[in-house]
Amino acid sequence: MTSQDTLTPHDGTLRVLSTSDLAGIDISLADVVDTVEGAYRTLHAGQSDNPRKLTVKPQDGHSVSYAMLGRDGTRNVVAIKTSYKHGLDKGRDEQHYYTALTLYDDVTGLPVAMMDCSRIGSLRTPAVSALIARECARPGARSALVIGTGTQGRLALPFLVTTLPDLERLMVFGTHPEGIAAVREQLRTHFPDRDVEIVTDLRAAASDADVIVATAGAHTPAAVESTWLAPGALSILVGHGLAPSTLHRADRVIATSEAQMNVTGTDMADAEGKLPAVDTEFPPVIAGITAGRHSAKERIFAYNSGLVVTDIALGHRFAQLALAQDLGTEVPLWQ
């Protein structure tokens, strides 16, 4: 079955799925994790294509935009994702962010849908972090710390508990009261019997954490140093909140994509502007070809930059669910 089987015959129109269309779709965290994991396995098997992303950023750094093209070999879907963020030099409330994903069926050659990609990104990124934690956390990991309470921070703990159900101590460090409240609400929504500990002493919390997921924005005061980390700690960088020392002094470095880390991770460079080579990328780890860690005491740094093949897989899953409910608007784009 191709993705086009659920669509009406193509007549020059494009199915557009808005933010509100996608917001009402019910999807479990386990479904998201399985979909994202499958995308990584397909990529490692050589059945998908995930070229390096293109980046445009003005000299003053007030905005950044990305373009990502990819192909999912399992679903036979080609997609283009665009991402544009404006106001990086301003506070969170003054920033603008727009991202879109357009899917095409590579069997029929017809469009599947174009959709707002914000919810997809808010799900797939913490799902990837949770998969990294599952594969790379030290044996018997019991504590997790999330730094940041924005879009990525709010679902980080529910996903971590999904892949590491034995976690006992769940901590969050944030500077926005509404974000902290949202983190607590999301955890209770998915795990009603769990609660989050709000920490203010970042150094003490980091030294107690087996897993740290840093999702904060660029203006965060948080900067966990390598000397704060306990033996065996896993530090996952999504946004900001980790000092460069956690990367440069790590016993093992893992990246979802080394090429993308070299493009988007320049703020973690050393005094000479260099980033260390990674020990392994994540696709062979999740495929079971390469070990996530070699010893319980290794301090591991993982860079989660997100791969477009995961957006494609999850976007296609959302398109299937949306089309089954006849959601979206047909736009006569090619008429």
Side-chain angles (χ1 to χ4, degrees):
M1 176 183 290
T2 71
S3 53
Q4 191 66 25
D5 291 332
T6 57
L7 295 173
T8 56
H10 178 63
D11 57 359
T13 64
L14 176 66
R15 175 84 62 141
V16 176
L17 299 170
S18 68
T19 304
S20 56
D21 289 328
L22 298 176
I25 295 176
D26 186 25
I27 186 169
S28 70
L29 300 185
D31 191 347
V32 174
V33 169
D34 289 345
T35 300
V36 171
E37 180 173 0
Y40 270 103
R41 291 183 180 276
T42 301
L43 178 63
H44 180 263
Q47 299 172 353
S48 294
D49 297 296
N50 193 98
R52 183 172 175 172
K53 67 171 65 175
L54 299 176
T55 307
V56 173
K57 189 173 185 178
Q59 289 186 353
D60 65 4
H62 75 270
S63 70
V64 64
S65 54
Y66 301 105
M68 292 149 276
L69 170 69
R71 183 181 186 279
D72 186 306
T74 297
R75 295 167 179 82
N76 288 313
V77 171
V78 172
I80 299 172
K81 178 184 177 181
T82 60
S83 177
Y84 171 65
K85 191 166 189 177
H86 182 276
L88 297 178
D89 54 341
K90 301 178 181 178
R92 179 187 297 183
D93 294 339
E94 298 178 89
Q95 294 180 357
H96 299 279
Y97 177 62
Y98 305 98
T99 179
L101 181 71
T102 306
L103 303 165
Y104 300 90
D105 189 305
D106 202 30
V107 174
T108 65
L110 301 178
V112 177
M114 179 180 182
M115 65 190 70
D116 168 36
C117 201
S118 57
R119 188 180 179 201
I120 293 163
S122 72
L123 290 169
R124 69 96 159 115
T125 302
V128 173
S129 294
L131 285 167
I132 293 173
R134 188 190 73 188
E135 299 296 327
C136 302
R138 71 169 185 82
R142 291 292 183 272
S143 58
L145 167 66
V146 172
I147 301 171
T149 60
T151 300
Q152 296 301 331
R154 296 177 185 188
L155 278 170
L157 288 174
F159 273 106
L160 284 173
V161 175
T162 299
T163 61
L164 292 176
D166 290 335
L167 287 174
E168 297 171 351
R169 188 181 181 192
L170 307 176
M171 299 174 281
V172 65
F173 174 88
T175 57
H176 298 276
E178 71 280 3
I180 293 173
V183 168
R184 175 167 277 146
E185 178 185 0
Q186 286 290 344
L187 181 61
R188 287 179 173 173
T189 295
H190 295 282
F191 295 95
D193 59 333
R194 307 297 296 269
D195 198 5
V196 60
E197 177 184 344
I198 311 304
V199 299
T200 55
D201 187 336
L202 182 60
R203 180 168 187 161
S207 67
D208 288 340
D210 296 314
V211 179
I212 300 174
V213 182
T215 73
H219 300 294
T220 181
V224 172
E225 296 285 354
S226 64
T227 54
W228 301 2
L229 302 176
L234 166 66
S235 302
I236 303 172
L237 184 62
V238 176
H240 299 270
L242 299 177
S245 62
T246 57
L247 166 60
H248 294 276
R249 297 178 185 174
D251 298 311
R252 185 166 174 78
V253 177
I254 297 173
T256 48
S257 166
E258 184 172 20
Q260 288 194 11
M261 186 176 85
N262 289 331
V263 171
T264 60
T266 54
D267 59 315
M268 296 293 284
D270 63 15
E272 298 179 354
K274 296 182 180 180
L275 293 171
V278 306
D279 293 293
T280 182
E281 292 188 321
F282 189 54
V285 172
I286 207 166
I289 305 301
T290 303
R293 69 163 52 236
H294 294 303
S295 77
K297 293 186 177 181
E298 275 186 318
R299 291 185 178 94
I300 297 178
F301 176 94
Y303 190 83
N304 177 5
S305 60
L307 302 183
V308 73
V309 290
T310 59
D311 293 291
I312 295 172
L314 193 55
H316 182 258
R317 180 72 179 124
F318 268 95
Q320 288 178 319
L321 296 171
L323 295 170
Q325 300 174 45
D326 197 28
L327 297 174
T329 304
E330 294 286 350
V331 177
L333 185 63
W334 294 289
Q335 289 184 3

